Amino acid sequence: MNKPNWRSALLLPVFIPAVAVMSLLVIGTLADPELAGEFFANILAKITNDFGWFYMLAVAMFLMFVVGVAISKWGRIKLGPDHADPEYSFFTWFAMLFSAGYGIALLFFGVSEPVIHYSSPPTGASETIDAAKQAMQISYFHWGFHIWAIYGLVGLVLAYFSFRHGLPLSMRSTLYPIIGDKIHGPMGHTVDTFAILGTMFGIATTLGLSVIQINTGLHYLWPGIEVSNIIQVVIIFVITLLAIASVVAGLDKGVKRLSVLNMALVMFLLVFVFFVGPTIHILEVFLQSTGSYLNSIVERTFNLQAYTHSDWIGNWTLFIFGWTIAWAPFVGLFIARISRGRTIRQFVFGVMLVPTFFTSFWCAVFGDTALNLIMNKGYNVLIEDVQADQAIALFKTYEYLLADMPFLINIITFVSVILIITFFVTSSDSGSLVIDSLASGGETNTPVWQRVFWASTEGIVAAVLLLAGGLKALQTAAIASALPLAIIMIPADTGMRRALIIEGHQYSRLKSHTPMHR
């Protein structure tokens, strides 16, 4: 029987600054939550006003880079030795990257975002057919190619340098073609520290959103359970314990099994609402909205509402993109870790096309079902419900959709709450594995106590941000932590391009010197 590994693998020049910053945040927020809330609000406004253009430009560059690499001659290169085979089947691989990517976001925003855009569109009159079209188009844009291009860029660069060139599976490795062996010094330590902070705040944002929705769902099922910060902190504590149990089990036993369970529950809910809802109308909306999304993708990519000076762009597009960039080291490193043996082309198209298609269909099923209830069934009260509390949007949609089958309402709501919980646990445990690897210089075989420490820290940070101002504080943490990461990601794609060019020259040279046999 193997003895448990208790020896620390932590890289102190990365671990100490990261923990120091998080400790200061926690202590400062607990000392004066109201002042902390004002501070977060000011930071959010400053970044949105001064750096919104940078976020949009950076995301556009990421999208063009990953698509360009995939369709180029470099797309045939394997993420690993030329003889390597994928470690996981396609379904298991997709389930794991999807669960880590944004499962919780779809449950939270799948209904609420289209309804809010319909009732308060960024341009034009509200509650019209044009507003409904715009609402679906915006939802597709926010959860489409751009999101997965961000994840794909980080995952691709990490997988390439780690599995192809033997560098640590860590953010510092992305800069190797630019700064060489300096990645093992202070500059590399700084990059990994920012990656840990971005990942921590990105995960905290996700956990915060999910615990709000769990609390709302439990209150909907059992009105005696109040919706309050205290209840939400208790929920965070309980589910963090479940995440710790999963993270102790490891990647294959914990994360893999939960991810497959997540996908099974997701498919159940998707198929159920698709057939119970306006099925034909959903298919029509899906096709029409896909065409509108593709037709307007360039315009929306560079739209900053420069002439209106509205705060809509900061509350929605910049928040979602910033949140995704903050998550990028986590999701990118995680999907890199499970993608060894796939070609660059398989990786990019698998990471971008399949999830984008799936999430677009999810938005059509849930978002259009909600809009159909409002526009054609007379449930205008759903708008008021969502405006009062975004977290209740999904559950109220079930209530109105199943008005003729009330016995199913609580069952479907309960299944949804279970799914949110399993997504919560999956995000926390897979995030703990990634942060632990970053804090250990790319080491993946780390002692259990380190993973337990990071899973516990994620719960603490999420609880503190909720106490400091709820959703607004979570938004600020995500967008603010994304800024340094976006700056790091730009030279990362430059470094990979340089490495691919060098590998291409080496391949051509080797091919030209290979003797021909007759």
Side-chain angles (χ1 to χ4, degrees):
M1 182 176 179
N2 295 329
K3 293 182 179 180
N5 178 19
W6 293 98
R7 187 171 182 177
S8 173
L10 293 171
L11 192 61
L12 294 182
V14 175
F15 175 78
I16 292 175
V19 172
V21 171
M22 285 183 274
S23 299
L24 289 173
L25 171 74
V26 170
I27 294 171
T29 301
L30 292 177
D32 194 338
E34 186 175 340
L35 181 62
E38 295 177 4
F39 173 76
F40 288 139
N42 292 334
I43 291 293
L44 180 63
K46 181 69 175 176
I47 292 178
T48 299
N49 292 333
D50 294 351
F51 295 99
W53 66 271
F54 174 73
Y55 281 97
M56 300 296 280
L57 180 60
V59 172
M61 292 171 60
F62 302 155
L63 177 60
M64 289 186 287
F65 173 77
V66 293
V67 172
V69 169
I71 64 177
S72 73
K73 61 182 180 181
W74 298 322
R76 59 174 173 74
I77 295 175
K78 279 199 172 184
L79 301 174
D82 291 333
H83 61 273
D85 292 320
E87 186 176 357
Y88 299 99
S89 68
F90 180 80
F91 177 79
T92 301
W93 178 63
F94 172 67
M96 292 170 76
L97 71 89
F98 182 82
S99 295
Y102 53 47
I104 290 174
L106 289 182
L107 290 164
F108 193 92
F109 291 109
V111 171
S112 66
E113 182 171 359
V115 171
I116 288 176
H117 296 329
Y118 171 73
S119 61
S120 302
T123 58
S126 63
E127 299 184 32
T128 63
I129 292 177
D130 286 339
K133 293 178 181 177
Q134 187 178 177
M136 295 304 298
Q137 187 183 115
I138 293 171
S139 298
Y140 276 40
F141 175 72
H142 283 164
W143 305 105
F145 290 126
H146 293 73
I147 298 296
W148 288 97
I150 297 170
Y151 293 149
L153 171 66
V154 176
L156 180 62
V157 174
L158 289 173
Y160 175 78
F161 285 118
S162 178
F163 301 139
R164 191 80 178 173
H165 295 282
L167 292 172
L169 192 60
S170 185
M171 280 297 292
R172 68 178 67 213
S173 298
T174 63
L175 301 181
Y176 184 80
I178 298 174
I179 63 176
D181 289 335
K182 290 181 180 179
I183 64 167
H184 302 296
M187 194 172 296
H189 300 332
T190 302
V191 169
D192 279 352
T193 299
F194 279 124
I196 289 174
L197 293 173
T199 301
M200 179 61 69
F201 293 132
I203 293 174
T205 301
T206 299
L207 301 188
L209 291 175
S210 65
V211 79
I212 291 171
Q213 196 171 25
I214 291 170
N215 189 184
T216 302
L218 292 176
H219 174 72
Y220 184 85
L221 290 169
W222 299 287
I225 300 177
E226 297 180 357
V227 176
S228 67
N229 286 341
I230 300 300
I231 297 296
Q232 290 163 13
V233 170
V234 171
I235 293 172
I236 288 176
F237 175 76
V238 172
I239 300 182
T240 298
L241 292 179
L242 296 177
I244 289 172
S246 178
V247 83
V248 168
L251 183 63
D252 287 334
K253 292 182 180 179
V255 179
K256 177 181 174 181
R257 292 174 182 174
L258 277 176
S259 297
V260 173
L261 173 62
N262 287 346
M263 282 306 301
L265 293 176
V266 162
M267 292 303 300
F268 169 75
L269 291 177
L270 185 69
V271 171
F272 177 83
V273 175
F274 175 69
F275 284 109
V276 174
T279 305
I280 301 301
H281 187 57
I282 288 171
L283 292 174
E284 293 173 345
V285 167
F286 174 63
L287 291 176
Q288 181 172 323
S289 298
T290 298
S292 299
Y293 164 57
L294 294 175
N295 184 57
S296 64
I297 191 169
V298 175
E299 180 183 358
R300 288 204 175 276
T301 298
F302 298 98
N303 180 18
L304 281 165
Q305 293 187 307
Y307 293 101
T308 60
H309 302 291
S310 168
D311 60 356
W312 183 92
I313 198 80
N315 290 333
W316 286 101
T317 305
L318 293 183
F319 163 59
I320 292 171
F321 285 0
W323 180 18
T324 305
I325 293 172
W327 262 61
F330 155 44
V331 180
L333 198 153
F334 182 73
I335 61 177
R337 189 172 174 181
I338 63 176
S339 299
R340 189 177 188 273
R342 299 190 182 276
T343 66
I344 289 177
R345 187 169 293 121
Q346 290 172 344
F347 178 92
V348 171
F349 288 130
V351 167
M352 288 190 59
L353 289 182
V354 178
T356 297
F357 173 85
F358 186 89
T359 50
S360 296
F361 190 63
W362 178 280
C363 288
V365 171
F366 284 83
D368 185 61
T369 295
L371 292 180
N372 183 69
L373 288 169
I374 296 169
M375 299 173 70
N376 299 322
K377 301 295 183 181
Y379 286 106
N380 285 2
V381 67
L382 181 56
I383 295 176
E384 299 173 10
D385 293 333
V386 175
Q387 288 176 336
D389 183 6
Q390 290 187 52
I392 206 170
L394 180 65
F395 310 123
K396 283 295 184 179
T397 299
Y398 291 150
E399 179 182 323
Y400 302 140
L401 177 65
L402 302 173
D404 296 331
M405 298 176 282
F407 63 94
L408 285 177
I409 297 174
N410 284 352
I411 296 174
I412 295 301
T413 299
F414 182 75
V415 171
S416 298
V417 171
I418 294 299
L419 177 58
I420 298 167
I421 291 172
T422 57
F423 270 134
F424 189 140
V425 174
T426 306
S427 297
S428 181
D429 62 10
S430 53
S432 302
L433 292 171
V434 168
I435 293 177
D436 191 28
S437 179
L438 288 168
S440 302
E443 179 64 47
T444 56
N445 185 23
T446 57
V448 171
W449 71 264
Q450 290 183 198
R451 287 174 269 161
V452 172
F453 170 80
W454 291 116
S456 304
T457 304
E458 288 163 6
I460 292 171
V461 172
V464 167
L465 288 175
L466 278 175
L467 293 174
L471 184 58
K472 187 64 68 175
L474 295 167
Q475 286 179 320
T476 304
I479 294 178
S481 60
L483 184 58
L485 289 174
I487 295 172
I488 292 169
M489 288 168 65
I490 291 176
D493 68 34
T494 303
M496 182 169 182
R497 187 183 297 111
R498 182 179 297 179
L500 289 171
I501 292 171
I502 293 172
E503 180 165 343
H505 289 327
Q506 290 173 340
Y507 176 80
S508 300
R509 212 162 36 239
L510 180 63
K511 189 175 180 180
S512 65
H513 285 83
T514 301
M516 299 292 290
H517 298 282
R518 295 181 181 275

